[in-house]
């Protein structure tokens, strides 16, 4: 309803700008008040259900079924630490409803690791708060979601205070829905999806963890007193994207070289106008968190931050299982001989991850191997979104591997469980990443923590934050072309074992910057601002 009012008011706004803005704000606030009233009964039912589930859990105390001894000890350890933290905050904790807008919460990528680690940290800090995740994954209920989160990420969630609410309009944020004007289409579509979410339940605090900034500005107009926050993985438009339109190398993302001709000039104008709109949207957000130096640089340049404090757009590195890697994977001089002639790429199977570059670089590396070398292997591990173009994409990657004559030595693994990923992190020697301007790169941190030597794209988070010198010495290599990647693999494989081991140790030290504990601590610091704003306005 509220979204449909916007086009009808454009004419009046153009004639009477100031009056039009006031009318728009009034109508949207009226719609917000109506949403709050219409969802109040569901809110009460949800809170009652949470209370009953908490009582049932505390009375039953049934232990989960024993699996492997290590997993059992891990569950027990987590349960004990969580119980202690929950008891500490039980009396003084915040008891509101915190909404997490993440329509693709079952995608299994780095963004989802951030979401569920954020939910866990929120549950531990505010045990009485209810964490509502707005999801479009209708085929996954709460029990299955909790199980998958534990299997994929090793993150254990407190079931009673976690609520999944299912969206019916998620298709409106899919890029495939908008063959033309995709950025604008997805952004306007996200308003409808946000209205869908608020029609299910209006939270006390609203946090977008997937990158739909337009939903937060929309929430501010519907509910002016609602604190809103954003965890930004990457800006949906950036100066680097604008620059890529004139790129002729083909190495700067999926839009490289798209600025040629009359159509390209029109695209540039469209993107520049959209960037201004994106900046206006960002100025409405109360708390902004960025996942890397690269992301923060673009967000502070694009969003209106002149009147914001220095802490605006705080860098909070994504949570990485560094402690888990250190516990499970041995990095020592003796373990060096257990590493195989294996190159590993952990990334979702999407076009922007640039798997074709890695396939070409591996083919070139193999062609130039000296005779008698140990057989090399490339292992590609990543998630595939259901009902998406990802399945066709991975099919085309298999065809490319066949055309490059490396299909027999290239392994594709989709939706791998956590223990499978650990197995390959224990045996591979090199970890790679081919994405241009990867906003962060959780997989790259996992490489370092597991002792792999990274050969990554010379851009974005892997360049600025992760694969950086330690004590003045390198922890990996940067590359842009297939030839440069192949040279990076060669340099690693031809090192003396002692030199390779020393580089692995330096990399593991760098990885300690990105622990799950560090993420949880910084996440809580920022969300506490939202809680203070909400309780102060109540």
């Amino acid at each position: 309803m509220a979204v449909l009012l916007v086009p009808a008011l454009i004419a009046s706004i153009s004639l009477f700008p100031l009056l039009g803005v006031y009318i728009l704000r009034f109508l949207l606030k009226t719609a917000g008040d109506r949403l709050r009233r219409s969802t109040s009964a569901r809110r009460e039912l949800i809170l009652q259900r949470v209370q009953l589930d908490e009582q049932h859990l505390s009375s039953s105390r049934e232990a989960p079924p024993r699996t492997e001894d290590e997993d059992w000890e891990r569950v027990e350890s987590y349960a004990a630490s969580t119980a202690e933290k929950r008891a500490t905050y039980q009396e003084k904790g915040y008891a509101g409803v915190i909404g997490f807008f993440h329509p693709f919460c079952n995608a299994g990528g780095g963004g989802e690791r951030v979401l569920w680690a954020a939910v866990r940290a929120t549950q531990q800090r505010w045990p009485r708060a209810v964490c509502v995740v707005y999801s479009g994954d209708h085929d996954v209920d709460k029990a299955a979601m909790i199980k998958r989160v534990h299997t994929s990420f090793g993150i254990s969630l407190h079931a009673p205070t976690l609520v999944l609410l299912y969206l019916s309009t998620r298709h409106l944020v899919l890029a495939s829905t908008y063959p033309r004007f995709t950025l604008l289409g997805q952004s306007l579509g996200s308003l409808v999806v946000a209205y869908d979410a608020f029609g299910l339940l209006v939270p006390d605090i609203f946090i977008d963890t997937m990158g739909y900034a337009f939903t937060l500005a929309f929430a501010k107009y519907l509910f002016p007193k609602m604190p809103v926050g954003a965890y930004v993985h990457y800006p949906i438009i950036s100066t680097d994207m604008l620059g890529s339109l004139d790129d002729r190398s083909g190495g700067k993302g999926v839009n490289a070289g798209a600025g040629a001709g009359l159509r390209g000039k029109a695209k540039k104008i469209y993107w520049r106008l959209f960037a201004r709109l994106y900046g206006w949207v960002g100025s409405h957000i109360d708390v902004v968190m960025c996942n890397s130096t690269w992301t923060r640089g673009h967000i502070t340049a694009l969003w209106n931050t002149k009147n914001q404090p220095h802490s605006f757009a705080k860098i909070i590195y994504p949570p990485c299982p560094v402690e888990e890697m250190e516990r499970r994977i041995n990095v020592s001089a003796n373990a060096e001989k257990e590493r195989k002639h294996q190159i590993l790429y952990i990334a979702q199977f999407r076009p922007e991850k640039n798997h074709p570059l890695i396939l070409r670089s591996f083919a070139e590396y193999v062609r130039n191997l000296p005779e008698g070398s140990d057989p090399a292997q490339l292992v590609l591990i990543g998630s595939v979104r259901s009902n998406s173009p990802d399945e066709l994409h991975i099919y085309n990657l298999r065809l490319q591997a066949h055309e490059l004559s490396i299909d027999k030595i290239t392994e594709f693994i989709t939706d791998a469980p956590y223990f499978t990923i650990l197995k390959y992190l224990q045996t591979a020697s090199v970890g790679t990443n081919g994405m241009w301007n990867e906003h962060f790169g959780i997989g790259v941190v996992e490489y370092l923590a597991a002792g792999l030597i990274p050969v990554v794209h010379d851009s974005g988070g892997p360049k600025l934050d992760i694969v950086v010198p330690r004590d003045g010495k390198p922890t990996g290599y940067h590359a842009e072309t297939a030839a440069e990647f192949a040279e990076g693999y060669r340099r690693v494989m031809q090192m003396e074992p002692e030199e390779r081991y020393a580089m692995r140790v330096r990399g593991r030290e760098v990885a300690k910057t990105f622990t799950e504990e560090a993420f949880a601590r910084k996440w809580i610091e920022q969300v506490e601002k939202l809680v203070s704003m909400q309780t102060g306005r109540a």
Side-chain angles (χ1 to χ4, degrees):
M1 171 188 169
V3 177
L4 297 178
L5 289 172
V6 177
L9 290 168
I10 290 179
S12 64
I13 291 173
S14 62
L15 293 173
F16 308 100
L18 208 54
L19 178 61
V21 169
Y22 281 122
I23 292 174
L24 179 60
R25 286 186 173 181
F26 172 76
L27 290 174
L28 288 174
K29 183 180 181 302
T30 301
D33 292 340
R34 182 175 177 274
L35 283 170
R36 197 182 294 276
R37 288 193 301 271
S38 66
T39 61
S40 60
R42 180 181 285 116
R43 177 189 176 99
E44 290 305 314
L45 288 173
I46 288 174
L47 294 178
Q48 289 174 19
R49 178 60 186 267
V50 167
Q51 188 175 10
L52 288 172
D53 287 348
E54 285 278 25
Q55 291 172 355
H56 176 73
L57 183 66
S58 61
S59 62
S60 63
R61 296 295 181 187
E62 292 182 359
R66 182 182 293 270
T67 53
E68 299 177 3
D69 288 342
E70 280 188 332
D71 290 335
W72 171 252
E73 291 172 4
R74 189 162 177 264
V75 170
E76 283 187 322
S77 174
Y78 171 79
S81 63
T82 300
E84 182 179 346
K85 290 175 182 175
R86 291 179 67 81
T88 302
Y89 294 117
Q90 191 70 39
E91 293 302 320
K92 61 181 181 179
Y94 174 67
V97 176
I98 302 177
F100 293 81
F101 190 74
H102 205 108
F104 297 90
C105 63
N106 193 40
E112 288 64 58
R113 176 183 282 279
V114 169
L115 165 69
W116 297 118
V119 170
R120 178 177 64 181
T122 303
Q123 288 183 323
Q124 290 180 348
R125 174 60 183 86
W126 295 283
R128 297 170 59 203
V130 177
C131 295
V132 172
V133 178
Y134 298 100
S135 168
D137 298 296
H138 289 251
D139 56 334
V140 185
D141 63 14
K142 184 167 78 170
M145 186 71 77
I146 289 174
K147 182 178 180 181
R148 176 163 188 192
V149 169
H150 186 268
T151 301
S152 301
F153 304 125
I155 294 174
S156 298
L157 301 170
H158 185 66
T161 56
L162 172 65
V163 176
L164 298 185
L165 293 180
Y166 295 96
L167 304 164
S168 59
T169 54
R170 187 177 72 174
H171 63 282
L172 293 177
V173 294
L174 290 172
S176 57
T177 305
Y178 311 97
R180 300 286 183 271
F181 299 100
T182 307
L183 291 177
L184 183 62
Q186 286 181 287
S187 298
L188 295 179
S190 71
L191 302 183
V192 181
V193 183
Y195 193 81
D196 181 11
F198 298 137
L200 296 170
L201 179 70
V202 177
D204 299 312
I205 294 171
F206 188 57
I207 303 174
D208 167 51
T209 52
M210 201 168 177
Y212 297 112
F214 281 67
T215 65
L216 300 174
F218 187 44
K220 273 297 188 184
Y221 278 88
L222 289 171
F223 318 104
K225 293 185 178 181
M226 179 190 290
V228 299
Y231 186 92
V232 186
H233 295 276
Y234 57 92
I236 55 179
I237 187 76
S238 69
T239 53
D240 284 355
M241 285 176 63
L242 289 166
S244 74
L245 296 176
D246 296 321
D247 175 57
R248 295 291 180 268
S249 68
K252 293 188 175 181
V254 295
N255 290 291
L262 186 61
R263 185 175 177 180
K265 290 180 181 178
K267 192 178 187 75
K268 287 181 185 178
I269 294 171
Y270 158 51
W271 275 15
R272 288 192 182 105
L273 290 173
F274 183 81
R276 293 182 66 181
L277 178 61
Y278 185 55
W280 176 82
V281 165
S283 67
H284 290 77
I285 303 173
D286 296 308
V287 171
V288 178
M289 299 163 271
C290 297
N291 70 339
S292 68
T293 301
W294 181 87
T295 299
R296 186 182 190 279
H298 285 283
I299 287 299
T300 53
L302 287 165
W303 289 1
N304 183 9
T305 62
K306 292 180 181 178
N307 299 321
Q308 299 288 353
H310 179 68
S311 60
F312 181 83
K314 193 81 172 179
I315 295 175
I316 302 181
Y317 293 123
C320 303
V322 174
E323 301 97 332
E324 181 79 0
M325 298 292 175
E326 291 181 342
R327 188 173 69 84
R328 294 203 179 213
I329 298 178
N330 180 26
V331 176
S332 64
N334 291 332
E336 187 64 30
K337 59 186 177 183
E338 298 176 10
R339 297 280 179 178
K340 299 179 181 178
H341 194 176
Q342 199 173 66
I343 298 169
L344 179 64
Y345 187 13
I346 301 175
Q348 294 164 296
F349 286 106
R350 301 183 187 179
E352 63 269 21
K353 298 300 183 180
N354 209 355
H355 289 84
L357 172 62
I358 300 305
L359 290 173
R360 293 195 305 272
S361 68
F362 181 64
E364 181 164 341
Y365 169 69
V366 171
R367 278 197 303 270
N368 295 313
L369 279 175
E371 289 188 17
S373 298
D374 293 336
Q377 183 188 29
L378 174 65
V379 180
L380 307 174
I381 300 178
S383 59
V384 176
R385 295 168 295 181
S386 58
N387 302 318
S388 75
D390 296 353
E391 294 171 352
L392 176 61
H393 179 60
I394 195 171
Y395 173 77
N396 289 330
L397 291 175
R398 292 180 190 275
L399 286 180
Q400 183 183 8
H402 177 74
E403 292 167 358
L404 292 169
S405 301
I406 57 172
D407 52 309
K408 297 291 193 296
I409 52 176
T410 300
E411 186 174 2
F412 293 84
I413 304 175
T414 60
D415 299 319
Y418 190 57
F419 67 83
T420 299
I421 296 173
L422 282 174
K423 183 183 76 171
Y424 282 98
L425 287 169
Q426 287 173 329
T427 59
S429 289
V430 174
T432 191
N433 184 300
M435 181 178 173
W436 173 70
N437 273 344
E438 173 80 84
H439 40 281
F440 179 68
I442 289 179
V444 180
V445 176
E446 291 178 337
Y447 300 155
L448 291 176
L452 281 69
I453 296 177
V455 179
V456 298
H457 200 281
D458 190 26
S459 64
K463 175 184 180 180
L464 298 174
D465 294 310
I466 306 173
V467 186
V468 295
R470 175 76 177 183
D471 300 327
K473 296 180 181 180
T475 56
Y477 299 103
H478 304 122
E480 290 190 64
T481 66
E484 290 173 349
F485 273 92
E487 173 62 15
Y489 308 151
R490 185 196 65 78
R491 291 177 70 178
V492 174
M493 296 303 183
Q494 289 189 353
M495 284 181 183
E496 293 296 324
E498 296 81 6
E499 184 183 0
R500 234 183 352 248
Y501 168 62
M503 186 175 283
R504 298 192 200 282
V505 171
R506 290 196 298 271
R508 178 166 267 195
E509 287 300 311
V510 170
K512 292 179 180 178
T513 308
F514 313 105
T515 62
E516 294 174 325
E517 181 183 351
F519 169 83
R521 184 177 65 255
K522 293 180 180 179
W523 169 267
I524 289 170
E525 287 174 1
Q526 299 305 307
V527 177
E528 278 180 338
K529 298 177 183 177
L530 297 173
V531 170
S532 297
M533 292 171 65
Q534 201 275 321
T535 53
R537 292 170 177 174

